[in-house]
Amino acid sequence: MKRKFALLLALMMTLSLFAACTETMGTGGGDLRDADGDGTARNTGGDGDLVDLVIYSQTANFAGVQGGWAGQILEERFGVRITVVNEMDGTFATRKASGNLGDIVIFGSDGNQYQEAVSEGLLFDWEEDDLVQNYGPYIYENMPYALQKNRDISGGSLYGFGFDVALDADDHQAHIYYPYLRWDLYLELGMPPINDLEDYIDILAQMKALEPFTEDGRATYGVSSFPCWDGDMVMMVKSTAALYGWEEFGFGLYNVITQEFEGALEPDGWYIRCLKFYNTLFQMGLYDPDSMTQRFDDAAMKYKNGVSFWNIFTFVAEDFNSPENLEAGRALKCIPAANQMNLVEGLNVYGGGRVWTIGAKTSYPELCMEIINWFSTPEGVMWFNYGPQGVTWDYDENGNPYLTDVGFLVHDGDKRTPIVFKGVEQPYREGEFQHNNTTFSRDAVNPDSAGGETFNWKHWDSTILNKPVTPIEQSWRDWSGTVTADEFLRNEGKVAVSIGTPFAMARRDSNLEMVWEQVKNAIQQGSWRAIYAGSDEEFDSIVAEMISLTHAYGYEECTLWTMEQAQIRREHEDRVRAGQ
């Protein structure tokens, strides 16, 4: 009602000023118009005031005003200036207490905090006044399963959709987990066999003996890590189990092949095993001692500069494979153990857990929907992933995507590379979209690609066929018999697919949530202490103390609840596999 009254008032003011406006029309303030009929408003120029919108994103690594080329395109297309608010300790509680989460709200999962926001009326219903049909037409027409999943987990009302949506479920995403190892040093060591996870430890020790310092004199390590992505468990520890088909699931791990749930603190379980793996590296001087205090950017920069030799995240390790390092004969490459089964997410027509929503208190729900809709179009997906069309990427004469020369320098090298957009030179990374959430999966088929290629540049023909191959890269290709690591893992049968389903974790009640927070904090703190234990005896003592403390807080209650959720997940998976 408030919104309708405001619109009526605005209309009356417009009519009263119409005569004066007609005399100056075309000489001043810009407006928003759907110039090409695609449901997307555009700023038509002029010096009119911008609309200030807040994107509260629990997945963002940045806080502040969106600047650079991304800020400019949002201003030109939608007449908006975006301020990104990221998640810090207490941010959600503070914003919830104010009753205003933001204009566009991105949740890190569709679990408790999202469902609290739904139950407390903090989100805008996308079907009110046909909002999504009228202002999000691409979403409405192309994401029916993702929208229905949101209705199912939101009590029948529609408040958004999850990230990484696919148009079909016949394939899986590109891998984000597999073991990268310094290939050049591995060759120098004579390529010793790697049969199990722990075999990497001795190889990393030998690599440090070969290269104890980087070119600029810094000490080298086997692994560098960071704590800022820790959740219910320590990120690097639980993610290492993904090399064997285990996916994080509450206070435990879920095997996507056997559908088995395993509590995190099982003495012989995978979480404790991976914890011991990193502690052994620490005891041998192979674990970066700054890991507990540095941020993601710090660790990523160390990998880029060759400080550490082994990593499990493709988006971290690939930074080392710069043109300069490759030409110098240095590379981090996929070298799996013989018994690995690498976790990979299946393409999911239902979308993942990170949810796009609109805050209930926004004064501009239509504008918010238009912006989310643009990010969901093929054009918006390409801009989000690769930058300005015609500058860093484009379509060739046959209608297939390619990176420009400067686009290659950015995405295959250094995102600090300057680009020129609208006559302004700026480092690419200073203009990247900062909300950090996808709409369609990068590995989904791009409908605008004439050849049916995906949105993932690493798998475009233009990338594979036209990118120069250095001798160090060719040596890995000769060894693996493939061109890409994903193809290698597939050919070797080392792929564990987490199939896409509409499953979402249920909301925990307030009593369980209080218990959960205590257990989470105890696992995080105990895990980091265990990594830095100076001996096996100290490690065992810290782990025993962590197990005792978490059980006192209510760990068993948490895992029993998670086991119930695992059973529901199995049932969803079984129905999808049966084609239901």
Side-chain angles (χ1 to χ4, degrees), residues 277-416:
F277 173 77
Y278 289 110
N279 172 247
T280 302
L281 290 174
F282 175 77
Q283 290 188 47
M284 297 175 65
L286 298 170
Y287 186 79
D288 181 354
D290 295 334
S291 294
M292 190 167 64
T293 56
Q294 67 191 0
R295 299 192 60 79
F296 167 78
D297 288 346
D298 301 320
M301 186 58 67
K302 286 183 176 180
Y303 277 97
K304 184 178 182 65
N305 294 327
V307 169
S308 296
F309 303 135
W310 187 84
N311 197 279
I312 60 172
F313 299 120
T314 61
F315 49 87
V316 174
E318 280 293 341
D319 280 347
F320 180 74
N321 294 329
S322 64
E324 295 78 15
N325 276 332
L326 293 175
E327 289 166 8
R330 297 186 291 263
L332 277 166
K333 288 293 182 180
C334 175
I335 308 175
N339 63 349
Q340 281 184 212
M341 292 293 290
N342 292 261
L343 175 72
V344 64
E345 296 293 325
L347 289 181
N348 193 340
V349 296
Y350 304 100
R354 300 176 182 175
V355 191
W356 288 90
T357 69
I358 295 172
K361 290 293 184 68
T362 183
S363 299
Y364 308 98
E366 296 87 356
L367 183 56
C368 292
M369 182 61 72
E370 289 174 344
I371 293 170
I372 299 173
N373 186 73
W374 181 69
F375 279 123
S376 303
T377 63
E379 179 187 50
V381 173
M382 292 290 285
W383 271 74
F384 173 77
N385 283 313
Y386 306 117
Q389 183 175 3
V391 178
T392 49
W393 67 276
D394 217 325
Y395 294 100
D396 63 22
E397 64 276 7
N398 297 317
N400 292 314
Y402 68 94
L403 292 181
T404 64
D405 290 342
V406 71
F408 258 114
L409 291 175
V410 167
H411 295 289
D412 196 42
D414 191 342
K415 288 192 174 182
R416 293 171 297 184

Side-chain angles (χ1 to χ4, degrees), residues 42-113:
R42 282 160 173 74
N43 186 287
T44 57
D47 56 1
D49 292 336
L50 296 174
V51 173
D52 283 303
L53 294 181
V54 169
I55 296 181
Y56 165 44
S57 174
Q58 296 184 336
T59 59
N61 297 309
F62 166 90
V65 175
Q66 171 70 67
W69 54 264
Q72 189 172 351
I73 195 64
L74 290 171
E75 177 180 331
E76 291 181 358
R77 282 182 148 296
F78 302 105
V80 298
R81 176 171 48 231
I82 298 292
T83 297
V84 177
V85 176
N86 63 3
E87 181 67 10
M88 306 289 284
D89 287 343
T91 301
F92 175 74
T94 300
R95 299 189 75 83
K96 184 178 76 167
S98 75
N100 186 357
L101 292 178
D103 297 292
I104 294 174
V105 184
I106 298 171
F107 289 88
S109 79
D110 50 17
N112 263 40
Q113 292 186 345

Side-chain angles (χ1 to χ4, degrees), residues 147-275:
L147 297 180
Q148 186 57 46
K149 174 188 174 182
N150 186 269
R151 293 187 189 96
D152 292 343
I153 65 176
S154 307
S157 297
L158 178 63
Y159 297 102
F161 65 92
F163 80 128
D164 268 5
V165 177
L167 294 173
D168 65 69
D170 292 338
D171 205 349
H172 60 73
Q173 298 180 13
H175 286 261
I176 62 170
Y177 304 111
Y178 48 72
Y180 277 85
L181 191 63
R182 274 286 295 273
W183 171 247
D184 53 310
L185 298 180
Y186 187 60
L187 287 174
E188 193 172 346
L189 292 173
M191 304 174 64
I194 306 172
N195 295 312
D196 211 339
L197 175 65
E198 289 73 17
D199 290 343
Y200 288 106
I201 296 172
D202 184 59
I203 290 173
L204 292 174
Q206 294 179 59
M207 287 185 175
K208 183 173 176 64
L210 287 176
E211 194 171 294
F213 298 98
T214 63
E215 288 186 339
D216 59 1
R218 286 185 286 178
T220 57
Y221 300 99
V223 172
S224 291
S225 189
F226 52 94
C228 44
W229 289 359
D230 292 351
D232 291 334
M233 299 170 284
V234 170
M235 167 66 83
M236 191 77 169
V237 178
K238 67 92 179 173
S239 295
T240 302
L243 303 180
Y244 288 85
W246 294 89
E247 187 169 35
E248 178 183 15
F249 198 75
F251 290 127
L253 301 163
Y254 183 90
N255 190 295
V256 301
I257 300 173
T258 65
Q259 299 177 293
E260 171 189 3
F261 171 76
E262 177 182 276
L265 301 184
E266 293 294 323
D268 298 320
W270 270 96
Y271 186 79
I272 299 298
R273 179 178 174 180
C274 295
L275 196 62

Side-chain angles (χ1 to χ4, degrees), residues 405-476:
D405 290 342
V406 71
F408 258 114
L409 291 175
V410 167
H411 295 289
D412 196 42
D414 191 342
K415 288 192 174 182
R416 293 171 297 184
T417 299
I419 66 169
V420 178
F421 179 64
K422 302 286 185 178
V424 177
E425 183 174 285
Q426 56 193 283
Y428 176 88
R429 68 181 301 173
E430 290 185 9
E432 283 187 289
F433 290 102
Q434 297 291 347
H435 57 268
N436 195 29
N437 197 37
T438 61
T439 53
F440 278 101
S441 167
R442 187 178 291 197
D443 297 293
V445 171
N446 176 2
D448 284 359
S449 169
E453 295 189 289
T454 70
F455 289 113
N456 193 333
W457 75 278
K458 292 185 179 181
H459 300 286
W460 297 342
D461 284 347
S462 60
T463 300
I464 295 171
L465 299 178
N466 297 332
K467 182 182 174 184
V469 180
T470 60
I472 192 66
E473 292 175 291
Q474 189 60 52
S475 67
W476 182 87

